[in-house]
Amino acid sequence: MKFITRLSNSRGYVDHDWLKSYHTFSFANYWDKNYTEFGALRVLNEDVIAPQNGFPLHPHRNYEIFTYVLKGKITHKDSMQNSEVCGRGHVQFTSAGSGIRHSEYNCERNQEAQILQIWVKPRELNTQPNYQLKFFPEESKLNQLCLMIVPKIKGEKNSDEFITIDQNFFVFSSLLEENKSVEHALQVDRQVYIHLPITNSNVELELSSSNNNGTTEKVTLKAGDGCYILPSPGSDDVENLIITGKGSGCLNEFVLMDMERTLF
């Protein structure tokens, strides 16, 4: 298994006073030819939004967009007549398809909102837009991987249990106590991105894998870091990824995205 870290302080960053945002991939005025996308994953922004501020109504087209709420509340409104208040544990999803307009606003008077905003390229363009919202309680993530987003099966209705996305793309989250671990099987035709948000300055993860030649690969992620994870060169077997919480006095919250492998 191959680990390539994306350190927090190497990301793009912008401070608009009302919005502080880190960009894992090139976005808006931040451009780095080495960080444009990873497979179908196009945007991963970590945003902190000031009270009574937010993103006004704006258009999107042909992206699968989801918001993972880490702290506070976000009020979502869109051109499909959806209006929701999303708090911690909610994942709000929009398949923009042929085109939608939406806004995301922190209506709270005194509390900042912290979110991950993630865009994924769809399999098909100009499809019928749709909206989904799911709540995943902390107990479903505590010391285990919680599956939140799964590929949509064409012709079938949206799932009652998971959010469905128009891409061969899975999203998990977890809250790990110190020295607790979860495992994820990396298939030879897949790749993974893990992001550890800045929920606490003490958060820390250890990623490890035992390779077929008997060697063990390990990396450590601190707050805001991410990691590209690829099968070992020449591997033709499933490899086991072990993720261990190392931050003390806090829950080590992370998001894991598993997608079809591409050249990288």
Side-chain angles (χ1 to χ4, degrees):
M1 193 173 291
K2 183 178 181 181
F3 298 124
I4 305 170
T5 54
R6 178 72 158 120
L7 299 180
S8 179
N9 60 10
S10 72
R11 295 180 293 172
Y13 178 71
V14 64
D15 185 345
H16 291 307
D17 190 35
W18 68 272
L19 170 69
K20 295 176 175 61
S21 182
Y22 285 96
H23 308 319
T24 296
F25 302 103
S26 296
F27 185 83
N29 292 328
Y30 167 64
W31 168 256
D32 187 324
K33 65 180 181 180
N34 298 310
Y35 300 105
T36 57
E37 59 188 32
F38 183 54
L41 178 59
R42 174 60 189 87
V43 171
L44 199 172
N45 292 344
E46 186 169 349
D47 297 337
V48 176
I49 304 168
Q52 297 190 307
N53 277 280
F55 301 95
L57 195 67
H58 59 281
H60 285 288
R61 186 185 180 97
N62 289 325
Y63 272 107
E64 308 288 281
I65 300 168
F66 62 97
T67 299
Y68 181 96
V69 183
L70 294 161
K71 182 177 73 174
K73 295 179 181 179
I74 288 292
T75 298
H76 167 94
K77 295 182 179 181
D78 63 39
S79 54
M80 294 178 283
Q81 309 307 312
N82 297 297
S83 179
E84 305 273 8
V85 177
C86 312
R88 176 168 170 78
H90 279 108
V91 177
Q92 178 267 318
F93 174 85
T94 301
S95 181
S98 58
I100 58 98
R101 294 172 66 83
H102 75 180
S103 64
E104 289 184 315
Y105 208 81
N106 178 8
C107 294
E108 301 298 296
R109 289 184 176 274
N110 301 306
Q111 186 178 20
E112 291 179 331
Q114 182 183 4
I115 63 173
L116 297 180
Q117 189 168 96
I118 299 172
W119 300 9
V120 175
K121 295 183 290 186
R123 288 178 289 201
E124 295 186 43
L125 300 180
N126 300 318
T127 57
Q128 180 72 28
N130 80 82
Y131 173 84
Q132 301 169 62
L133 178 70
K134 293 283 188 293
F135 176 73
F136 300 94
E138 297 212 349
E139 55 266 29
S140 69
K141 306 172 187 177
L142 185 61
N143 299 322
Q144 60 187 327
L145 283 174
C146 172
L147 179 58
M148 303 184 300
I149 298 179
V150 301
K152 183 178 180 64
I153 300 174
K154 193 170 183 178
E156 292 192 6
K157 294 181 179 179
N158 291 335
S159 166
D160 291 331
E161 187 176 2
F162 309 112
I163 287 171
T164 57
I165 186 171
D166 184 26
Q167 186 52 263
N168 190 347
F169 198 94
F170 297 83
V171 182
F172 303 80
S173 65
S174 184
L175 296 163
L176 290 181
E177 296 173 304
E178 186 178 9
N179 295 322
K180 296 291 187 180
S181 298
V182 293
E183 298 184 8
H184 180 75
L186 179 62
Q187 307 292 328
V188 294
D189 58 347
R190 310 289 293 181
Q191 61 190 29
V192 162
Y193 192 86
I194 287 180
H195 181 68
L196 179 64
I198 308 173
T199 54
N200 183 298
S201 60
N202 292 332
V203 295
E204 184 177 320
L205 293 178
E206 179 185 86
L207 311 182
S208 62
S209 175
S210 295
N211 294 328
N212 294 335
N213 60 10
T215 62
T216 299
E217 299 290 333
K218 287 185 180 181
V219 298
T220 297
L221 303 184
K222 301 286 183 75
D225 291 348
C227 190
Y228 306 93
I229 303 171
L230 301 163
S232 299
S235 173
D236 58 0
D237 201 2
V238 176
E239 296 178 90
N240 198 39
L241 169 65
I242 303 169
I243 307 160
T244 304
K246 290 296 184 180
S248 61
C250 61
L251 291 174
N252 300 280
E253 182 170 13
F254 68 91
V255 174
L256 182 154
M257 290 160 279
D258 183 308
M259 67 204 82
E260 285 185 310
R261 188 175 180 184
T262 59
L263 293 176
F264 177 72

